[in-house]
Amino acid sequence: MREAPILEVDQERAQRDKFYSLLEAKVLEDGLQNPEKKRINTRTVTSIDEYNKMIQAIEEAVEKTKGRTQKEHYLINKYEVYSVGETIKIILKRETQDDLVRFLVPYEQIFETILRIHNQVGHKCRDIMLQACNKNHLNITVEMITAFLNTCNQCIMNKKRNKTTGVVVKPILSENFNRRAQMDLIDFQSLPDGEFKWVMVYQDHFTKFLALRPLKNKSAFDVAGGLIDIVTIFGVPVILQSDNGHDLEIKAKKLFETVGYEGPEADCLDLAESEDLNELDDVFNPSEFELDEIIPRENSQENESESPAEEILRKANNLLGIRETVRTEVKDTEAPNLICRVVYIEFDKSLYELACEAGVLDTMFARNSFDLVKDCRIDYEIKLDKKISVRQAVREISIGGGQGMIKCNCTGGCLTNRCSCKKNGILCNSRCHGANGNCKNK
């Protein structure tokens, strides 16, 4: 049978019991920690019986004209009786009738009082609650509000998680491309795509560049085939990190033995975290090895006559060959793509030097910084006699003089040399000064 839902009244009763148990535990804890501390007799905790006796004592003290005791003088000087309908309550003595009314709350009614104020302010924090309670009440303390907030279910659910302290996490740092790579297998057996039930995820730790390969299963043959496609494009990483355990380590070692690469990378999964990685190691260069020795795979339907080794060699030549035409992106320009040609490859760092019609670019590019332009039919000549920056190259090649690379944030009419566009002899463009309608340089 299904359990009956807990009524709101039962929840409030449970919260009330927990609230008073926390208060009693706090009082007991303070008494045990400081047993010799002198306690001042205040009205912070006043039971309902003491509250009624105080009302009677105040009324009798007010009726007396003489012969009042010291306690009666104290009561009538500090408190007064206040009628709310048919209910008589004790409030702080006011100098005038316009002063704020502040009630003394009996101990048994503190929970209901805090609950009413808490709902009025909308489940706010302790300091807002304390300010709201002290506005019209005398004896509600910080400890009482803290105990109440620890019993409010909504406040507990809305409470932000405290930051973890005392735990030092040492980050993994990579110096450049192909220093560390991460690989894992994602299980799609519950949602397969035809025969493919696994996805191999390969990520370079430095550039965060991802490579995905669909797999029919996670056998050593399929994983090695997917890795061969990736390492012939990006090169073999110095460290290959994975949480698939010893099984994947064996597969990776077989792969590196297959491509004929022996060295630190062949044992990359066995490197200790404390091992020094500052010394540069060679990165896989496809031109240095006989790719015909790679384990043959099933021929694709599209290229039945092409062997796997020839297919991989063709991919490596297309992607890593010198004199190939590539397209690199240049942001904040009217012509965002720059057509270049690969003129030099630094294999040990997997970096490429590009040249365009304006000259050789002075920056080395990683493989993920440009795209290969297949079957390029653009007739252009590159210059190798000078080195220039990317933006200088765009400015020289652009028919508009590089407009779009220079922009201003003027608030006036852009008529003086304080305007960067006016100073460079160009008109302001759509990237300049937002919604400024005073511009005259258009």
Side-chain angles (χ1 to χ4, degrees):
M1 295 179 62
R2 295 179 60 185
E3 297 182 358
I6 301 177
L7 299 177
E8 186 176 353
V9 177
D10 296 335
Q11 291 180 346
E12 184 176 329
R13 186 182 296 112
Q15 184 181 354
R16 187 179 191 276
D17 296 339
K18 187 175 181 180
F19 169 76
Y20 282 109
S21 64
L22 290 176
L23 283 185
E24 293 172 0
K26 178 65 177 175
V27 173
L28 181 61
E29 181 182 357
D30 293 342
L32 293 175
Q33 290 180 354
N34 302 304
E36 299 179 357
K37 184 177 180 180
K38 184 178 179 180
R39 306 293 175 183
I40 301 176
N41 186 17
T42 61
R43 300 294 176 183
T44 301
V45 178
T46 305
S47 64
I48 190 68
D49 294 334
E50 295 176 349
Y51 191 82
N52 293 331
K53 291 179 181 179
M54 282 183 61
I55 293 176
Q56 185 178 358
I58 292 173
E59 290 177 343
E60 292 177 356
V62 171
E63 292 176 357
K64 289 183 180 181
T65 57
K66 59 181 181 179
R68 294 172 181 159
T69 63
Q70 184 178 359
K71 182 179 179 179
E72 291 175 340
H73 277 290
Y74 170 78
L75 289 176
I76 62 176
N77 288 333
K78 188 169 184 179
Y79 303 105
E80 63 178 290
V81 177
Y82 187 81
S83 298
V84 181
E86 297 180 356
T87 306
I88 300 176
K89 295 183 176 292
I90 300 176
I91 65 172
L92 185 66
K93 189 175 181 63
R94 298 171 294 174
E95 295 181 359
T96 63
Q97 294 297 322
D98 296 332
D99 291 346
L100 196 63
V101 176
R102 300 183 65 191
F103 295 94
L104 180 68
V105 184
Y107 182 73
E108 291 78 4
Q109 299 178 7
I110 288 179
F111 173 79
E112 288 75 11
T113 303
I114 298 178
L115 177 62
R116 173 175 51 83
I117 298 174
H118 190 58
N119 292 330
Q120 289 175 355
V121 300
H123 293 268
K124 298 296 183 180
C125 62
R126 182 197 65 184
D127 295 341
I128 297 178
M129 282 288 298
L130 182 62
Q131 185 178 2
C133 291
N134 288 339
K135 184 177 180 180
N136 295 107
H137 302 86
L138 286 174
N139 56 330
I140 297 180
T141 62
V142 177
E143 290 78 8
M144 294 178 180
I145 296 175
T146 302
F148 178 85
L149 294 177
N150 290 334
T151 61
C152 180
N153 294 330
Q154 183 172 345
C155 293
I156 293 174
M157 289 188 294
N158 296 337
K159 187 177 181 180
K160 294 182 179 179
R161 181 180 180 270
N162 294 330
K163 294 183 178 180
T164 305
T165 58
V167 179
V168 179
V169 179
K170 184 179 180 180
I172 300 176
L173 302 178
S174 298
E175 296 178 355
N176 50 41
F177 176 72
N178 250 357
R179 294 294 293 173
R180 180 186 293 267
Q182 298 171 329
M183 191 189 72
D184 202 355
L185 298 177
I186 302 178
D187 187 355
F188 276 92
Q189 295 183 92
S190 60
L191 192 64
D193 185 6
E195 297 180 349
F196 298 99
K197 300 179 181 179
W198 299 84
V199 174
M200 185 177 70
V201 182
Y202 179 98
Q203 183 181 37
D204 180 69
H205 190 268
F206 180 73
T207 62
K208 306 302 180 186
F209 187 80
L210 277 175
L212 305 178
R213 292 293 184 274
L215 304 177
K216 296 180 181 180
N217 54 64
K218 60 174 183 177
S219 64
F221 181 81
D222 287 60
V223 173
L227 270 175
I228 287 176
D229 286 342
I230 295 175
V231 299
T232 52
I233 297 174
F234 302 107
V236 178
V238 177
I239 299 176
L240 181 60
Q241 179 182 351
S242 177
D243 58 355
N244 284 53
H246 185 68
D247 187 26
L248 185 59
E249 178 183 346
I250 296 175
K251 297 172 187 176
K253 289 183 177 180
K254 287 183 179 179
L255 164 68
F256 299 139
E257 292 173 0
T258 300
V259 299
Y261 193 86
E262 296 180 357
E265 288 76 0
D267 297 324
C268 61
L269 291 175
D270 292 333
L271 286 178
E273 294 183 359
S274 59
E275 188 169 345
D276 187 12
L277 300 177
N278 293 328
E279 185 179 356
L280 291 178
D281 299 299
D282 293 335
V283 181
F284 177 69
N285 183 355
S287 62
E288 297 178 2
F289 305 101
E290 294 293 334
L291 294 182
D292 293 334
E293 299 177 1
I294 295 177
I295 298 176
R297 295 186 299 171
E298 297 178 3
N299 294 335
S300 62
Q301 297 179 358
E302 298 178 357
N303 300 317
E304 296 182 355
S305 60
E306 186 178 29
S307 66
E310 292 174 349
E311 180 184 358
I312 294 172
L313 184 59
R314 177 178 54 81
K315 290 181 180 180
N317 290 335
N318 288 340
L319 293 174
L320 300 175
I322 296 178
R323 300 184 62 83
E324 290 292 344
T325 303
V326 297
R327 180 180 65 249
T328 182
E329 181 182 2
V330 184
K331 297 182 179 180
D332 296 333
T333 60
E334 294 181 355
N337 294 321
L338 185 63
I339 304 300
C340 303
R341 186 177 295 168
V342 179
V343 295
Y344 175 73
I345 304 175
E346 191 173 347
F347 286 105
D348 58 345
K349 295 183 180 180
S350 298
L351 296 177
Y352 298 79
E353 187 175 36
L354 307 180
C356 63
E357 294 177 304
V360 180
L361 303 183
D362 59 0
T363 304
M364 300 292 287
F365 292 85
R367 177 60 187 87
N368 62 336
S369 300
F370 56 83
D371 298 322
L372 179 66
V373 180
K374 296 181 179 180
D375 301 328
C376 180
R377 298 182 180 180
I378 301 176
D379 187 14
Y380 67 97
E381 295 181 359
I382 62 172
K383 293 182 180 180
L384 302 176
D385 55 346
K386 65 175 181 178
K387 282 196 173 185
I388 58 175
S389 65
V390 176
R391 295 195 176 276
Q392 288 176 343
V394 173
R395 184 181 293 111
E396 292 186 14
I397 296 174
S398 174
I399 59 175
Q403 183 171 340
M405 295 169 55
I406 300 175
K407 56 185 178 181
C408 67
N409 295 315
C410 304
T411 58
C414 299
L415 297 176
T416 64
N417 285 338
R418 296 181 62 183
C419 173
S420 57
C421 296
K422 181 71 174 179
K423 183 177 180 180
N424 287 274
I426 62 175
L427 300 178
C428 293
N429 55 78
S430 58
R431 298 183 179 90
C432 295
H433 48 56
N436 180 21
N438 300 323
C439 179
K440 307 298 182 183
N441 185 32
K442 293 183 178 180

PDB file of all heavy atoms in Angstrom, residues 253-264:
ATOM      1  N   LYS A 253      49.596  -0.228 -26.810  1.00  0.00           N
ATOM      2  CA  LYS A 253      50.959  -0.678 -27.075  1.00  0.00           C
ATOM      3  C   LYS A 253      51.043  -1.476 -28.374  1.00  0.00           C
ATOM      4  O   LYS A 253      51.999  -1.355 -29.141  1.00  0.00           O
ATOM      5  CB  LYS A 253      51.456  -1.515 -25.897  1.00  0.00           C
ATOM      6  CG  LYS A 253      51.739  -0.700 -24.649  1.00  0.00           C
ATOM      7  CD  LYS A 253      52.303  -1.562 -23.533  1.00  0.00           C
ATOM      8  CE  LYS A 253      52.641  -0.730 -22.309  1.00  0.00           C
ATOM      9  NZ  LYS A 253      53.197  -1.540 -21.205  1.00  0.00           N
ATOM     10  N   LYS A 254      50.029  -2.288 -28.622  1.00  0.00           N
ATOM     11  CA  LYS A 254      50.008  -3.035 -29.885  1.00  0.00           C
ATOM     12  C   LYS A 254      49.930  -2.081 -31.074  1.00  0.00           C
ATOM     13  O   LYS A 254      50.541  -2.311 -32.114  1.00  0.00           O
ATOM     14  CB  LYS A 254      48.810  -3.989 -29.894  1.00  0.00           C
ATOM     15  CG  LYS A 254      48.964  -5.188 -28.974  1.00  0.00           C
ATOM     16  CD  LYS A 254      47.761  -6.116 -29.103  1.00  0.00           C
ATOM     17  CE  LYS A 254      47.926  -7.338 -28.206  1.00  0.00           C
ATOM     18  NZ  LYS A 254      46.758  -8.242 -28.291  1.00  0.00           N
ATOM     19  N   LEU A 255      49.166  -0.992 -30.897  1.00  0.00           N
ATOM     20  CA  LEU A 255      49.045  -0.013 -31.975  1.00  0.00           C
ATOM     21  C   LEU A 255      50.398   0.617 -32.294  1.00  0.00           C
ATOM     22  O   LEU A 255      50.802   0.699 -33.448  1.00  0.00           O
ATOM     23  CB  LEU A 255      48.039   1.070 -31.580  1.00  0.00           C
ATOM     24  CG  LEU A 255      48.076   2.343 -32.427  1.00  0.00           C
ATOM     25  CD1 LEU A 255      47.600   2.054 -33.841  1.00  0.00           C
ATOM     26  CD2 LEU A 255      47.232   3.435 -31.787  1.00  0.00           C
ATOM     27  N   PHE A 256      51.137   1.056 -31.266  1.00  0.00           N
ATOM     28  CA  PHE A 256      52.413   1.720 -31.499  1.00  0.00           C
ATOM     29  C   PHE A 256      53.448   0.748 -32.073  1.00  0.00           C
ATOM     30  O   PHE A 256      54.304   1.133 -32.863  1.00  0.00           O
ATOM     31  CB  PHE A 256      52.921   2.345 -30.210  1.00  0.00           C
ATOM     32  CG  PHE A 256      51.996   3.388 -29.651  1.00  0.00           C
ATOM     33  CD1 PHE A 256      51.747   3.472 -28.288  1.00  0.00           C
ATOM     34  CD2 PHE A 256      51.351   4.284 -30.484  1.00  0.00           C
ATOM     35  CE1 PHE A 256      50.888   4.431 -27.784  1.00  0.00           C
ATOM     36  CE2 PHE A 256      50.494   5.236 -29.987  1.00  0.00           C
ATOM     37  CZ  PHE A 256      50.261   5.304 -28.636  1.00  0.00           C
ATOM     38  N   GLU A 257      53.372  -0.501 -31.650  1.00  0.00           N
ATOM     39  CA  GLU A 257      54.257  -1.494 -32.247  1.00  0.00           C
ATOM     40  C   GLU A 257      53.910  -1.723 -33.712  1.00  0.00           C
ATOM     41  O   GLU A 257      54.760  -1.976 -34.553  1.00  0.00           O
ATOM     42  CB  GLU A 257      54.159  -2.808 -31.470  1.00  0.00           C
ATOM     43  CG  GLU A 257      54.717  -2.725 -30.062  1.00  0.00           C
ATOM     44  CD  GLU A 257      54.452  -4.003 -29.278  1.00  0.00           C
ATOM     45  OE1 GLU A 257      53.829  -4.928 -29.852  1.00  0.00           O
ATOM     46  OE2 GLU A 257      54.864  -4.068 -28.103  1.00  0.00           O
ATOM     47  N   THR A 258      52.603  -1.598 -34.024  1.00  0.00           N
ATOM     48  CA  THR A 258      52.160  -1.816 -35.405  1.00  0.00           C
ATOM     49  C   THR A 258      52.714  -0.745 -36.337  1.00  0.00           C
ATOM     50  O   THR A 258      53.176  -1.038 -37.442  1.00  0.00           O
ATOM     51  CB  THR A 258      50.619  -1.798 -35.461  1.00  0.00           C
ATOM     52  OG1 THR A 258      50.122  -2.841 -34.636  1.00  0.00           O
ATOM     53  CG2 THR A 258      50.125  -2.008 -36.884  1.00  0.00           C
ATOM     54  N   VAL A 259      52.659   0.509 -35.911  1.00  0.00           N
ATOM     55  CA  VAL A 259      53.153   1.588 -36.764  1.00  0.00           C
ATOM     56  C   VAL A 259      54.666   1.701 -36.717  1.00  0.00           C
ATOM     57  O   VAL A 259      55.251   2.569 -37.353  1.00  0.00           O
ATOM     58  CB  VAL A 259      52.521   2.942 -36.358  1.00  0.00           C
ATOM     59  CG1 VAL A 259      51.028   2.894 -36.509  1.00  0.00           C
ATOM     60  CG2 VAL A 259      52.903   3.326 -34.933  1.00  0.00           C
ATOM     61  N   GLY A 260      55.327   0.828 -35.937  1.00  0.00           N
ATOM     62  CA  GLY A 260      56.782   0.799 -35.913  1.00  0.00           C
ATOM     63  C   GLY A 260      57.404   1.858 -35.055  1.00  0.00           C
ATOM     64  O   GLY A 260      58.583   2.160 -35.203  1.00  0.00           O
ATOM     65  N   TYR A 261      56.654   2.446 -34.137  1.00  0.00           N
ATOM     66  CA  TYR A 261      57.190   3.518 -33.307  1.00  0.00           C
ATOM     67  C   TYR A 261      57.561   2.948 -31.953  1.00  0.00           C
ATOM     68  O   TYR A 261      56.704   2.426 -31.237  1.00  0.00           O
ATOM     69  CB  TYR A 261      56.179   4.634 -33.150  1.00  0.00           C
ATOM     70  CG  TYR A 261      56.776   5.897 -32.568  1.00  0.00           C
ATOM     71  CD1 TYR A 261      57.383   6.829 -33.385  1.00  0.00           C
ATOM     72  CD2 TYR A 261      56.741   6.136 -31.202  1.00  0.00           C
ATOM     73  CE1 TYR A 261      57.921   7.990 -32.867  1.00  0.00           C
ATOM     74  CE2 TYR A 261      57.285   7.280 -30.674  1.00  0.00           C
ATOM     75  CZ  TYR A 261      57.872   8.201 -31.512  1.00  0.00           C
ATOM     76  OH  TYR A 261      58.406   9.345 -30.992  1.00  0.00           O
ATOM     77  N   GLU A 262      58.822   3.048 -31.596  1.00  0.00           N
ATOM     78  CA  GLU A 262      59.287   2.558 -30.309  1.00  0.00           C
ATOM     79  C   GLU A 262      59.956   3.698 -29.566  1.00  0.00           C
ATOM     80  O   GLU A 262      60.736   4.442 -30.123  1.00  0.00           O
ATOM     81  CB  GLU A 262      60.290   1.408 -30.498  1.00  0.00           C
ATOM     82  CG  GLU A 262      59.669   0.180 -31.159  1.00  0.00           C
ATOM     83  CD  GLU A 262      60.670  -0.930 -31.324  1.00  0.00           C
ATOM     84  OE1 GLU A 262      61.838  -0.704 -30.964  1.00  0.00           O
ATOM     85  OE2 GLU A 262      60.290  -2.005 -31.816  1.00  0.00           O
ATOM     86  N   GLY A 263      59.638   3.841 -28.324  1.00  0.00           N
ATOM     87  CA  GLY A 263      60.185   4.939 -27.529  1.00  0.00           C
ATOM     88  C   GLY A 263      59.303   5.199 -26.333  1.00  0.00           C
ATOM     89  O   GLY A 263      58.546   4.329 -25.900  1.00  0.00           O
ATOM     90  N   PRO A 264      59.403   6.401 -25.764  1.00  0.00           N
ATOM     91  CA  PRO A 264      58.591   6.712 -24.591  1.00  0.00           C
ATOM     92  C   PRO A 264      57.107   6.534 -24.844  1.00  0.00           C
ATOM     93  O   PRO A 264      56.361   6.173 -23.962  1.00  0.00           O
ATOM     94  CB  PRO A 264      58.938   8.177 -24.290  1.00  0.00           C
ATOM     95  CG  PRO A 264      60.277   8.393 -24.926  1.00  0.00           C
ATOM     96  CD  PRO A 264      60.291   7.514 -26.129  1.00  0.00           C
TER      97      PRO A 264
END
